[in-house]
């Protein structure tokens, strides 16, 4: 599959600054960069672009840790799929928190963000085997106890593709398994405002619930969180983060 087009950085944000800040955050985890590494990465990503600038802007701040279901997820004993894993920030946090690496699989349809993660964390040799990239969903039925989906639903513009994504998540879960994750959403009562820089799908709570139920999931719990604006044109009055957790019937 050809690499999707890189998106532009939002107003007031630049690649040199965001790359430097992300590297500083990741150094706090003990990663050491050799001399000239920043310059080499800057040249690479100036040339190739960054597919999801927002993901670089929050790289090193894994969202999974704050999820309301996370402490329960850590206690489960089955396999976990990070579906649409991007850079793999959340996978690394799971490992740091003691979730056994042999029970983690990270999957994405695109390699670009995964490679960005390896470039910044410099750990491809240690955890490269956990990542799978493929255009088609490669997992059979009932392989996982948990599916985690962070910031994926809001990047899927196409209705059919969203349906397929959720049906895949449902099918990959064993009966009683849990889908949890987060997506940008629309604050109650706010009108949708088209924003060419914004995410392609910003759903109100009822629409998210309907999509989850439509795929077969039951009793979705949805918690609304404040959407921290990442730049001057980012709208936290109308946008929020919905954290969700829902079950495949046992
Ligand atoms: C905004 S990024 C979020 C990445 C990561 N989950 C995180 O929280 O940092 C969205 C990711 O979803 C992936 N994605 C989009 N549609 C997908 C699909 N149908 N199946 C699997 N991954 C998908 C993209 O390639 C991208 O890596």
């Amino acid at each position: 599959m050809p690499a999707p087009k890189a998106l532009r950085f939002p107003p007031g944000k630049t690649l040199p600054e965001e790359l430097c800040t992300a590297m500083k955050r990741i150094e706090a985890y003990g990663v050491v960069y050799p001399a000239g590494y920043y310059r080499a990465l800057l040249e690479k990503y100036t040339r190739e672009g960054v597919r999801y600038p927002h993901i670089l802007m929050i790289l090193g701040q894994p969202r999974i840790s704050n999820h309301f279901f996370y402490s329960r997820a850590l206690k489960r004993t089955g396999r976990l799929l990070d579906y649409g894993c991007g850079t793999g920030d959340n996978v690394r946090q799971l490992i740091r928190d003691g979730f056994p690496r042999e029970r983690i699989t990270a999957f994405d349809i695109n390699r670009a963000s995964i490679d960005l993660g390896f470039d910044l964390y410099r750990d491809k040799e240690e955890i490269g085997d956990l990542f799978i990239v493929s255009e088609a969903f490669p997992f059979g039925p009932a392989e996982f106890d948990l599916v985690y989906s962070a910031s994926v639903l809001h990047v899927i513009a196409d209705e059919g593709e969203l349906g397929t994504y959720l049906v895949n998540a449902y099918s990959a879960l064993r009966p009683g398994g849990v889908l949890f994750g987060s997506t940008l959403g629309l604050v109650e009562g706010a009108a949708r405002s088209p924003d060419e820089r914004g995410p392609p799908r910003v759903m109100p709570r009822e629409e998210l619930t309907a999509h989850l139920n439509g795929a077969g999931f039951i009793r979705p719990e949805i918690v609304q969180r404040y959407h921290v604006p990442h730049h001057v044109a980012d709208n936290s009055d109308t946008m929020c983060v919905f954290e969700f957790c829902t079950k495949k019937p046992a």
Side-chain angles (χ1 to χ4, degrees), residues 193-236:
S193 49
D195 174 1
E196 55 141 31
R197 288 178 198 276
R201 173 185 297 275
V202 184
M203 293 183 274
R205 180 190 288 262
E206 317 76 69
E207 202 174 310
L208 174 58
T209 304
H211 276 292
L212 295 171
N213 288 333
F217 290 104
I218 53 167
R219 296 194 297 278
E221 283 176 63
I222 300 178
V223 172
Q224 182 175 325
R225 303 267 192 220
Y226 181 69
H227 166 56
V228 181
H230 296 308
H231 55 87
V232 286
D234 205 352
N235 200 340
S236 57

Side-chain angles (χ1 to χ4, degrees), residues 52 55 63 83-86 90 107-110 113 150-152 155-156 161 165:
Y52 293 105
I55 290 302
R63 286 146 304 287
Y83 188 6
C85 60
N90 298 301
F107 168 68
D108 206 296
I109 50 171
N110 184 297
S113 298
S151 304
V152 183
V155 305
I156 303 181
E161 197 188 324
Y165 176 91

Side-chain angles (χ1 to χ4, degrees), residues 1 4 7 51-56 58-59 61-64 82-90 107-114 134-137 148-157 161-162 164-166 168 182:
M1 185 167 56
L7 301 176
R51 171 68 182 114
Y52 293 105
H54 280 94
I55 290 302
L56 178 63
I58 56 172
L59 193 61
Q61 297 171 304
R63 286 146 304 287
I64 197 168
D82 185 351
Y83 188 6
C85 60
T87 56
D89 237 6
N90 298 301
F107 168 68
D108 206 296
I109 50 171
N110 184 297
R111 182 170 299 283
S113 298
I114 296 177
S134 135
E135 213 168 310
F137 190 69
Y148 178 61
S149 164
S151 304
V152 183
L153 305 186
H154 66 241
V155 305
I156 303 181
E161 197 188 324
L162 178 66
T164 304
Y165 176 91
L166 289 172
N168 287 343
S182 56

